[in-house]
Amino acid sequence: MPAGGFVVGDGQKAYPGKLTPFVLFTCVVAAMGGLIFGYDIGISGGVTSMPSFLRRFFPSVYRKQQEDATTNQYCQYDSPTLTLFTSSLYLAALISSLVASTVTRRFGRRLSMLFGGILFCAGALINGFAKHVWMLIVGRILLGFGIGFANQAVPLYLSEMAPYKYRGSLNIGFQLSITIGILVAEVLNYFFAKIKGGWGWRLSLGGAVVPALIITIGSLVLPDTPNSMIERGQHEKAKIKLRRIRGVEDVSQEFDDLVAASKESQAIEHPWTNLLRRKYRPHLTMAIMIPFFQQLTGINVIMFYAPVLFNTIGFTTDASLMSAVVTGSVNVAATLVSIYGVDRWGRRFLFLEGGTQMLICQAVVAACIGAKFGVDGTPGELPKWYAIVVVTFICIYVAGFAWSWGPLGWLVPSEIFPLEIRSAAQSITVSVNMIFTFIIAQIFLTMLCHLKFGLFLVFAFFVVVMSIFVYIFLPETKGIPIEEMGQVWRSHWYWSRFVEDGEYGNGLEMGKSSNQGTKHV
Ligand code: BGC
């Protein structure tokens, strides 16, 4: 038997394993870690458009909003403190994802998930009971710490747990939870905003306790991944777990490969500096570029500010929250499409199709807003059909994101890193994601005020760049076992020059190359 295990005709490995109820259950529970992230994304925009919330914490924004409706619509929400409220979370998440790298690597994926749940819970409570702006900010920082831990650990957990043939679909459970979190938060905002006495925002913010408890309890009942157990020297336990997860007795091939990958991993003392080695250049590039591009699609302009944006284009507060609910539902539904298609059509197809779709929509939305609002931001009377056209194209845009960059922005990084750099590289992905989420959240309102409808064209430009990047540089990763991913770089026209044969995945890859072309099934 080759050290590397089952090798099919084209030199690609195929480990035995089924989609067992156990693995399904485990992945569904773990994927719920995305709820906290999603809930927060969905809640912030709605809360910051509730007049009672603004009056209490951001009176200057509130006053500006009450002023004459003929003031420039592009600029009415331009307030640094308000954006700081939204963005502080992302800076906190960035820092904690770096800490999470060590926790995830040394103590397992579960512990990071547990920390994520507990910190998020604390933040939700402080926010729900907030009396002053500083309490809001402290609460948001704790929420951010929680998200940093969860987003670092959950995607890795899912990609390691899943049988490789279903890895895409199971991993996208994470993004599905994000979108469900967003939608639930938007629906709650819609109703809480109606509460007489104007304290509904407390329920919106405090409600984050629920998703926090789900991930906290989930992480207590879940097993750790076999990869992580082996990495921490628990070989026997890992083998038993692997049998249970895969639903087959003979898991020795996969097990041996995991052990080999872990030996390689153990030899690395400094995962961070290691990341800078030439052979990890493709991984580092993807760890940075994928989350960067994901944010440069401009999706969070819609997610955070949908109510604000819809307000700007002429809806009342109530109607704009409702439109946000519509975009939220499209987001969930379209994510289901990617769960269905990702392991069938592949990652590259979804990236390229989604990119084209987003591009067209951004151009149309920019044209619509430009035509009505001009450059001075005074729209005059807005006909109903106009608002419907804008919302429709925003929905088609959201769908494009939701089956491409949304889920793949988390899936692809989590499946391409070799074990020895996996945890550190994933932290980079989360940090870059958070930095750019922060930057966009921080400057969006100011950009809207200055660039006006041209803002959408800026994002459209980046969508073109990222699609070309994917086309040229991103290899297809569908159907390849996670500890075997080295082959996609070795056979890539550009990346092959960085990764030399035999340098990868310890003996397991060498074992495989000596058995190339043999059929051992
Ligand atoms: C992104 C978030 C975004 C969400 C929308 C996620 O994949 O990381 O920034 O708000 O998708 O569904």
Side-chain angles (χ1 to χ4, degrees):
M1 220 9 107
F6 282 52
V7 182
V8 285
D10 54 2
Q12 195 169 306
K13 293 192 180 182
Y15 303 121
K18 304 180 252 182
L19 189 59
T20 57
F22 180 67
V23 83
L24 201 59
F25 168 80
T26 319
C27 288
V28 168
V29 174
M32 287 189 197
L35 287 177
I36 58 172
F37 185 36
Y39 186 86
D40 183 80
I41 294 167
I43 274 298
S44 331
V47 166
T48 50
S49 74
M50 288 183 194
S52 57
F53 177 81
L54 288 177
R55 195 172 50 227
R56 182 173 185 135
F57 295 106
F58 304 96
S60 65
V61 181
Y62 177 73
R63 274 196 304 277
K64 218 167 163 188
Q65 206 184 55
Q66 299 303 303
E67 278 168 18
D68 193 353
T70 56
T71 51
N72 187 339
Q73 293 287 305
Y74 289 126
C75 298
Q76 60 168 337
Y77 287 99
D78 190 5
S79 150
T81 357
L82 182 58
T83 28
L84 185 67
F85 164 74
T86 309
S87 322
S88 52
L89 176 146
Y90 293 92
L91 284 186
L94 186 167
I95 295 166
S96 76
S97 75
L98 299 177
V99 178
S101 158
T102 312
V103 176
T104 305
R105 180 174 149 92
R106 297 245 176 94
F107 306 103
R109 284 66 175 134
R110 275 176 62 203
L111 198 68
S112 284
M113 283 151 63
L114 180 65
F115 283 172
I118 294 173
L119 289 163
F120 198 84
C121 202
L125 289 173
I126 296 184
N127 269 353
F129 291 108
K131 289 200 164 17
H132 310 282
V133 179
W134 69 261
M135 287 180 79
L136 283 182
I137 310 258
V138 169
R140 273 191 82 68
I141 290 175
L142 286 172
L143 296 180
F145 285 155
I147 289 176
F149 270 100
N151 285 17
Q152 201 274 346
V154 174
L156 291 189
Y157 183 93
L158 293 169
S159 283
E160 291 182 342
M161 212 51 157
Y164 69 96
K165 283 187 198 150
Y166 307 100
R167 189 177 60 239
S169 301
L170 290 176
N171 181 292
I172 294 180
F174 176 66
Q175 175 73 10
L176 185 67
S177 297
I178 296 178
T179 60
I180 292 174
I182 297 175
L183 179 62
V184 168
E186 277 164 355
V187 173
L188 291 179
N189 267 343
Y190 179 70
F191 289 107
F192 291 159
K194 292 181 188 300
I195 291 180
K196 297 230 160 43
W199 51 273
W201 60 268
R202 288 198 187 279
L203 293 180
S204 294
L205 296 179
V209 167
V210 177
L213 288 178
I214 295 180
I215 175 177
T216 308
I217 296 169
S219 65
L220 291 172
V221 300
L222 293 177
D224 225 322
T225 65
N227 316 50
S228 171
M229 288 178 189
I230 295 172
E231 198 179 19
R232 287 176 291 134
Q234 305 166 353
H235 288 209
E236 267 322 296
K237 212 169 139 196
K239 196 163 200 173
I240 296 167
K241 226 8 124 204
L242 194 60
R243 278 197 198 112
R244 175 104 202 271
I245 296 167
R246 299 286 176 251
V248 289
E249 259 315 294
D250 183 14
V251 290
S252 52
Q253 286 80 20
E254 185 173 1
F255 181 78
D256 291 346
D257 280 359
L258 292 180
V259 171
S262 140
K263 274 200 194 118
E264 174 102 343
S265 167
Q266 238 97 71
I268 306 287
E269 273 181 44
H270 305 288
W272 292 106
T273 44
N274 202 51
L275 263 177
L276 298 175
R277 290 173 63 184
R278 186 177 157 84
K279 66 172 179 172
Y280 297 125
R281 206 55 55 77
H283 311 87
L284 189 60
T285 309
M286 296 302 163
I288 295 171
M289 295 315 281
I290 292 181
F292 166 74
F293 283 143
Q294 190 205 51
Q295 290 308 314
L296 266 289
T297 56
I299 187 66
N300 280 325
V301 162
I302 308 292
M303 292 302 144
F304 299 147
Y305 298 112
V308 174
L309 197 68
F310 287 124
N311 247 345
T312 305
I313 58 173
F315 291 83
T316 60
T317 308
D318 201 52
S320 46
L321 278 179
M322 204 56 221
S323 323
V325 170
V326 173
T327 53
S329 310
V330 171
N331 198 14
V332 174
T335 306
L336 293 172
V337 174
S338 70
I339 290 189
Y340 174 82
V342 71
D343 292 317
R344 292 183 169 82
W345 312 321
R347 284 60 164 154
R348 281 169 56 84
F349 170 79
L350 287 174
F351 267 126
L352 297 174
E353 193 286 332
T356 315
Q357 189 170 324
M358 284 190 282
L359 177 66
I360 296 171
C361 295
Q362 279 160 331
V364 174
V365 170
C368 285
I369 299 188
K372 273 285 168 196
F373 287 74
V375 281
D376 56 0
T378 44
E381 195 60 28
L382 285 169
K384 203 167 172 201
W385 66 262
Y386 167 84
I388 292 174
V389 170
V390 175
V391 173
T392 306
F393 275 91
I394 288 184
C395 285
I396 304 176
Y397 161 83
V398 169
F401 174 87
W403 59 54
S404 64
W405 282 92
L408 302 177
W410 295 105
L411 164 65
V412 173
S414 76
E415 64 184 7
I416 58 172
F417 308 133
L419 187 64
E420 66 271 18
I421 56 161
R422 192 168 296 155
S423 216
Q426 177 70 9
S427 297
I428 299 218
T429 294
V430 179
S431 312
V432 174
N433 197 307
M434 295 302 149
I435 293 175
F436 285 95
T437 310
F438 167 78
I439 293 177
I440 289 177
Q442 193 72 40
I443 61 176
F444 163 68
L445 295 174
T446 317
M447 283 200 326
L448 183 66
C449 184
H450 296 286
L451 290 177
K452 300 159 177 105
F453 60 88
L455 176 61
F456 296 92
L457 298 179
V458 172
F459 292 127
F461 165 78
F462 277 105
V463 170
V464 174
V465 175
M466 65 188 79
S467 301
I468 296 173
F469 175 86
V470 165
Y471 185 74
I472 300 181
F473 292 112
L474 189 75
E476 182 56 64
T477 48
K478 167 188 105 169
I480 298 183
I482 186 166
E483 306 303 352
E484 279 295 299
M485 209 48 88
Q487 62 182 272
V488 303
W489 310 110
R490 275 198 310 273
S491 53
H492 189 269
W493 73 272
Y494 179 74
W495 298 120
S496 55
R497 69 196 70 184
F498 295 92
V499 290
E500 285 146 34
D501 230 350
E503 251 207 287
Y504 250 96
N506 202 10
L508 77 156
E509 294 274 340
M510 289 186 278
K512 194 196 75 183
S513 53
S514 62
N515 285 282
Q516 288 246 335
T518 342
K519 197 160 182 128
H520 302 271
V521 186

